[in-house]
Amino acid sequence: MGKNQNIRIKDIARMAGVSVGTVDRVIHDRGNVSSESERKVKAILKKTNYSPNPIAQSLGAKKEYQISVMLPNPEQDEYWELSNKGVLQAQREWKSYNIDININNFDLERSESFSENIQKLLETKPHAVLTAPIFFDESITFFEKLDEVDIPYILVNTELNPQIKKYNPLCIIGQNHHQSGRVAAELIHISLHEPGQLAVMHIHENVENSIHLKEKEEGFRNYFAEFGNDDFEISTFSFLDEKRSFEEQIGECIAQQDLKGIFVPTSSGTYLTARALGKHHKQQTKLVGYDLLEENIHFLKAGTIDFLINQDPRHQALQGLRYLVNHLLLKIPPPTDDLLPLDIITRQNYTSFLNNHS
Amino acid sequence: MGKNQNIRIKDIARMAGVSVGTVDRVIHDRGNVSSESERKVKAILKKTNYSPNPIAQSLGAKKEYQISVMLPNPEQDEYWELSNKGVLQAQREWKSYNIDININNFDLERSESFSENIQKLLETKPHAVLTAPIFFDESITFFEKLDEVDIPYILVNTELNPQIKKYNPLCIIGQNHHQSGRVAAELIHISLHEPGQLAVMHIHENVENSIHLKEKEEGFRNYFAEFGNDDFEISTFSFLDEKRSFEEQIGECIAQQDLKGIFVPTSSGTYLTARALGKHHKQQTKLVGYDLLEENIHFLKAGTIDFLINQDPRHQALQGLRYLVNHLLLKIPPPTDDLLPLDIITRQNYTSFLNNHS
DNA sequence: CTGAAAGCGCTAACAG
DNA sequence: CTGTTAGCGCTTTCAG
């Protein structure tokens, strides 16, 4: 048990017969130390199992840190509004620590907007970055540049995948999408009392996002495939931005098919589907979607939505920023990835998720 | 946006025309300040929206804090072992902050053990206490004494109820038990495809604990009562410590009844029931219980247990200690109570809850 | 290459 | 009642 609470830099300086300045130099590899001194200091360091007092460390280093957040415009999508709430909370949380979190928003509909913003962001030379790789190709350019100038970055809403492995994010925060799809399947399976048609609805999604969505769908199908029977037949429907409103398109689809269960792998798609089910009086169709958006909660309460899987974007952002701060301020390394729990939300437990948990 | 990053105590001293000492005194209500000075300082404090730099604060206050934890012996029950893990994590987390968390364990089976321990604990005069009111009557004595000597305390595994309102815990951490019972009912209801007998099993519980359990049962029954039909009839069974093992008793009960669904409101009761169901080949009976104990997970995977509701004892302890530390170190007041989310655990999502989340 | 010394913002002991 | 001052442990000049 390290009683090393009490060894100070001063102590090890004395033990090594040098000054605190020298000790600090070897600790931080700042050079300008004779190999002799270095050897001695390092020996004592090892022997005493010294670990610096992070509090004093960050007080002493009166440095200001800039963290840049690059996320979609919260006004375009309630999911990102929740995410933004996490950022705002982090801003408050670290206000007095000389951490400046500045927010850059890009347009969810225009990938160019993302590219434009990374230019501006990089010019400000932040000490760390939090982002979500919505537009994957553009994000890759971003990663390359960040890696190049050695700015640490953390990704939210992401899962470790082979493409990302080529780059060096400090940490990746998200959920296991495949497993998430399996949870959705399980929930439909549990609540469905008779065989029938199922559907996966892809609504309004930039193709770039499709990595997640495909994985969710795969998990969903995979779950049912394991049973090897054909009680359930699964179709996939994709609705793209057209002249006709999504609601109209979805409504038509729902009217034509006799669906027993629907899985919508996106948060905003969820309430769009619920609306359509409502309009066509098909509320009894089992519907599983994502996230505690206002309208999703409404339809959950009403019974149109049966389950929501919570991706907790607010927590993801907050957690990402905490990792970044700990990294900058206290040199505490975050995990390489953080897979959040797959919360199942129902009519009976949703309120317990609505309190602002830290 | 507060550019108050940079207002130091020194600044507000200058602005108020007093010394830093005085400012510090009014900030911490240490008295010995003329009402005139106090007024001025408070005005500036308000105007500048001053908030102290917690880092400097904890460096400056070279005070050592003692926090005493009083929880059941973790070796007696895996639930409390999880709880203990939270305590250990907190110990690590605040190691370098001069916070000394010492653990007192009492015997779950002997209420006298609790009483004995509170004596010893009080003699050490800790700065704060974390406990769980397992033995309610004995706990009340404890609360009274803590209130008397003004030691702040936080309760875990508890819900705000009229009896506790007479005392002054700093915060109460737990779940809404009534709602928890309703979640259990909902889960059974969703997964049950035909009417039938249901049961609530009370296993091996000290009567003192029964407040929670009664509330869970009430929520459970209440859910079904709202439907007003009699598709489901609910019986209550209680198993007390006797010559015969619980397993035997439960087994007998299960064999005699034709139960479609069972709700067990305790974590250890859950696997005991699952064992009995296994032995009597009644795995198809829907079983809802509590918590990610090793054996519960085993039976969940095997399909004997259908759902677990996660009470996250580890998180409760950790959170309670964080509140305490923030209270002591930074004077940040915790909420008066913190109701945690009612996590639903299934075969498909349990792994996502097993990672050690902070 | 090295040591001395001045802070970082706050707390607390000590004269007055 | 009030101001002054010496730290907390570490970083970072700045002479030498």
Side-chain angles (χ1 to χ4, degrees):
Chain A
M1 325 263 229
K3 48 194 280 206
N4 53 336
Q5 323 283 101
N6 299 329
I7 354 180
R8 284 113 66 246
I9 236 179
K10 198 193 220 178
D11 299 317
I12 86 116
R14 188 174 26 74
M15 294 162 99
V18 297
S19 73
V20 295
T22 304
V23 175
D24 190 72
R25 273 168 218 128
V26 353
I27 287 178
H28 293 95
D29 249 337
R30 267 199 258 287
N32 287 345
V33 177
S34 70
S35 52
E36 174 59 7
S37 302
E38 184 169 348
R39 200 189 45 68
K40 280 194 294 185
V41 171
K42 282 199 167 152
I44 308 283
L45 245 26
K46 188 120 296 168
K47 194 171 68 166
T48 55
N49 199 312
Y50 170 80
S51 87
N53 178 331
I55 297 216
Q57 217 159 8
S58 73
L59 223 213
K62 46 232 157 223
K63 193 159 169 178
E64 274 231 4
Y65 288 105
Q66 284 277 338
I67 300 180
S68 286
V69 170
M70 171 77 111
L71 292 175
N73 186 343
E75 286 170 15
Q76 286 179 289
D77 189 327
E78 199 189 334
Y79 181 88
W80 295 107
E81 187 185 324
L82 292 175
S83 193
N84 194 53
K85 280 191 183 158
V87 175
L88 296 178
Q89 176 167 345
Q91 263 179 342
R92 256 173 286 131
E93 199 164 314
W94 305 105
K95 187 167 74 175
S96 33
Y97 290 71
N98 272 350
I99 302 276
D100 179 31
I101 299 177
N102 59 60
I103 304 178
N104 305 61
N105 291 320
F106 58 89
D107 187 333
L108 252 181
E109 319 278 341
R110 303 190 313 113
S111 62
E112 320 87 67
S113 146
F114 182 79
S115 304
E116 289 155 22
N117 270 281
I118 58 179
Q119 274 313 324
K120 281 192 282 182
L121 186 152
L122 287 168
E123 280 162 19
T124 68
K125 296 198 183 304
H127 296 91
V129 168
L130 182 83
T131 188
I134 305 289
F135 301 114
F136 204 78
D137 294 340
E138 286 80 357
S139 296
I140 281 180
T141 322
F142 195 22
F143 300 162
E144 281 169 350
K145 290 190 176 158
L146 290 168
D147 280 339
E148 202 174 296
V149 293
D150 220 38
I151 294 176
Y153 54 104
I154 285 185
L155 272 27
V156 291
N157 246 49
T158 315
E159 195 180 351
L160 195 58
N161 67 44
Q163 297 189 68
I164 290 186
K165 278 215 176 107
K166 295 185 218 152
Y167 308 97
N168 295 304
L170 198 61
C171 171
I172 293 176
I173 300 176
Q175 287 181 325
N176 183 326
H177 296 121
H178 183 89
Q179 200 59 38
S180 180
R182 293 183 61 96
V183 171
E186 178 184 43
L187 293 172
I188 285 187
H189 188 202
I190 287 169
S191 52
L192 223 47
H193 302 190
E194 46 190 299
Q197 286 279 333
L198 305 181
V200 180
M201 304 289 222
H202 291 292
I203 296 158
H204 173 41
E205 284 305 324
N206 0 33
V207 199
E208 292 83 353
N209 228 330
S210 61
I211 316 161
H212 312 167
L213 303 183
K214 286 287 169 254
E215 266 169 24
K216 286 179 181 171
E217 175 168 355
E218 210 179 275
F220 186 82
R221 288 177 171 276
N222 189 276
Y223 173 94
F224 284 106
E226 280 177 10
F227 290 95
N229 68 15
D230 32 40
D231 276 1
F232 303 102
E233 194 183 321
I234 307 173
S235 325
T236 301
F237 299 97
S238 292
F239 305 96
L240 298 173
D241 220 345
E242 293 181 0
K243 277 140 278 172
R244 292 184 308 147
S245 75
F246 283 118
E247 224 172 311
E248 210 177 313
Q249 296 179 58
I250 300 168
E252 199 172 286
C253 168
I254 284 171
Q256 282 167 10
Q257 315 282 328
D258 181 33
L259 299 172
K260 291 279 181 268
I262 301 179
F263 172 42
V264 187
T266 58
S267 51
S268 55
T270 304
Y271 62 76
L272 290 174
T273 305
R275 279 188 204 163
L277 284 175
K279 197 154 284 172
H280 292 260
H281 305 289
K282 298 250 191 175
Q283 285 94 340
Q284 76 289 0
T285 306
K286 302 297 170 192
L287 176 56
V288 178
Y290 282 88
D291 295 318
L292 290 160
L293 308 193
E294 225 170 280
E295 204 171 343
N296 286 351
I297 295 174
H298 164 77
F299 282 117
L300 179 72
K301 284 202 274 193
T304 312
I305 294 176
D306 293 273
F307 298 97
L308 291 169
I309 297 173
N310 185 22
Q311 307 186 95
D312 211 343
R314 191 184 140 287
H315 177 79
Q316 292 198 29
L318 182 55
Q319 184 69 5
L321 289 169
R322 281 187 184 151
Y323 282 146
L324 245 21
V325 169
N326 282 334
H327 171 77
L328 293 175
L329 227 47
L330 313 177
K331 268 81 186 164
I332 297 177
T336 54
D337 69 322
D338 188 0
L339 286 176
L340 303 179
L342 297 160
D343 295 325
I344 297 170
I345 312 291
T346 68
R347 235 174 333 289
Q348 293 303 321
N349 78 351
Y350 77 93
T351 49
S352 75
F353 282 86
L354 258 28
N355 313 322
N356 40 338
H357 287 290
S358 53
Chain B
M1 324 267 227
K3 45 192 281 199
N4 53 334
Q5 321 284 100
N6 299 328
I7 355 180
R8 284 112 65 245
I9 237 180
K10 197 193 222 181
D11 299 315
I12 86 117
R14 187 172 29 71
M15 294 162 100
V18 297
S19 74
V20 293
T22 303
V23 175
D24 191 70
R25 271 168 220 132
V26 352
I27 288 177
H28 293 97
D29 249 340
R30 268 199 256 288
N32 286 346
V33 178
S34 70
S35 51
E36 174 59 8
S37 303
E38 181 169 351
R39 199 187 46 69
K40 280 193 296 186
V41 171
K42 282 200 166 149
I44 308 282
L45 244 29
K46 189 120 295 166
K47 193 170 69 168
T48 56
N49 199 311
Y50 169 80
S51 88
N53 179 332
I55 295 214
Q57 218 158 9
S58 73
L59 223 212
K62 46 235 160 218
K63 191 159 172 178
E64 272 230 5
Y65 287 104
Q66 285 277 337
I67 300 180
S68 286
V69 171
M70 171 74 112
L71 292 175
N73 186 343
E75 286 170 17
Q76 286 179 288
D77 188 327
E78 200 189 334
Y79 180 87
W80 296 108
E81 187 186 327
L82 293 175
S83 193
N84 195 52
K85 281 191 182 157
V87 176
L88 297 177
Q89 174 165 345
Q91 264 179 342
R92 255 173 287 131
E93 198 162 315
W94 305 104
K95 186 169 76 176
S96 35
Y97 291 71
N98 271 349
I99 302 278
D100 179 30
I101 298 176
N102 59 62
I103 304 179
N104 306 61
N105 291 320
F106 59 88
D107 187 334
L108 252 182
E109 319 277 341
R110 302 190 315 110
S111 62
E112 319 87 67
S113 145
F114 182 79
S115 306
E116 290 155 22
N117 270 282
I118 59 178
Q119 274 313 324
K120 282 193 281 181
L121 185 151
L122 287 168
E123 280 161 20
T124 67
K125 295 200 186 302
H127 296 91
V129 167
L130 183 82
T131 188
I134 306 288
F135 300 115
F136 203 78
D137 295 339
E138 288 79 358
S139 296
I140 281 179
T141 321
F142 195 22
F143 299 161
E144 281 169 352
K145 290 190 176 154
L146 290 168
D147 281 337
E148 203 174 298
V149 294
D150 221 38
I151 294 176
Y153 54 104
I154 285 184
L155 272 27
V156 291
N157 245 48
T158 314
E159 195 179 353
L160 195 56
N161 68 42
Q163 298 188 67
I164 290 186
K165 280 217 176 103
K166 295 186 217 149
Y167 310 97
N168 295 304
L170 199 60
C171 171
I172 293 177
I173 300 176
Q175 287 181 326
N176 184 327
H177 295 121
H178 183 88
Q179 200 61 39
S180 179
R182 293 184 62 97
V183 171
E186 178 185 44
L187 293 172
I188 286 189
H189 188 204
I190 287 169
S191 53
L192 223 47
H193 302 187
E194 46 189 298
Q197 286 278 335
L198 305 182
V200 179
M201 304 289 223
H202 291 291
I203 296 158
H204 173 42
E205 283 305 326
N206 2 31
V207 199
E208 293 83 352
N209 229 331
S210 61
I211 316 162
H212 312 165
L213 304 183
K214 285 284 169 259
E215 267 169 22
K216 286 178 180 171
E217 175 168 355
E218 209 179 275
F220 186 82
R221 289 179 170 274
N222 188 277
Y223 174 94
F224 283 107
E226 280 176 9
F227 289 96
N229 69 17
D230 32 41
D231 275 2
F232 303 102
E233 196 184 320
I234 308 172
S235 323
T236 302
F237 298 98
S238 292
F239 305 95
L240 297 173
D241 220 344
E242 292 181 2
K243 278 139 278 168
R244 293 183 306 148
S245 75
F246 284 118
E247 225 172 312
E248 211 177 315
Q249 297 179 57
I250 300 168
E252 199 172 288
C253 169
I254 285 171
Q256 284 167 9
Q257 314 283 326
D258 180 32
L259 299 172
K260 291 280 181 269
I262 300 179
F263 171 43
V264 187
T266 58
S267 50
S268 56
T270 303
Y271 63 77
L272 290 174
T273 305
R275 280 189 204 163
L277 284 174
K279 197 153 286 172
H280 291 261
H281 305 290
K282 299 249 192 177
Q283 287 94 337
Q284 76 290 359
T285 307
K286 300 299 170 191
L287 176 55
V288 178
Y290 282 89
D291 296 317
L292 291 159
L293 308 193
E294 226 172 280
E295 203 171 342
N296 286 349
I297 295 174
H298 164 78
F299 282 117
L300 180 71
K301 284 201 275 193
T304 312
I305 294 175
D306 294 273
F307 298 97
L308 291 169
I309 297 173
N310 185 21
Q311 307 185 98
D312 210 342
R314 192 183 140 289
H315 177 79
Q316 292 198 29
L318 182 54
Q319 184 70 3
L321 289 168
R322 280 185 185 152
Y323 282 146
L324 245 22
V325 169
N326 282 335
H327 171 78
L328 294 175
L329 226 48
L330 313 177
K331 266 80 186 165
I332 297 176
T336 54
D337 70 319
D338 189 359
L339 287 177
L340 303 178
L342 298 161
D343 295 325
I344 297 170
I345 311 292
T346 68
R347 234 176 332 290
Q348 293 304 319
N349 77 349
Y350 77 94
T351 48
S352 76
F353 282 86
L354 258 30
N355 312 322
N356 41 338
H357 285 292
S358 53

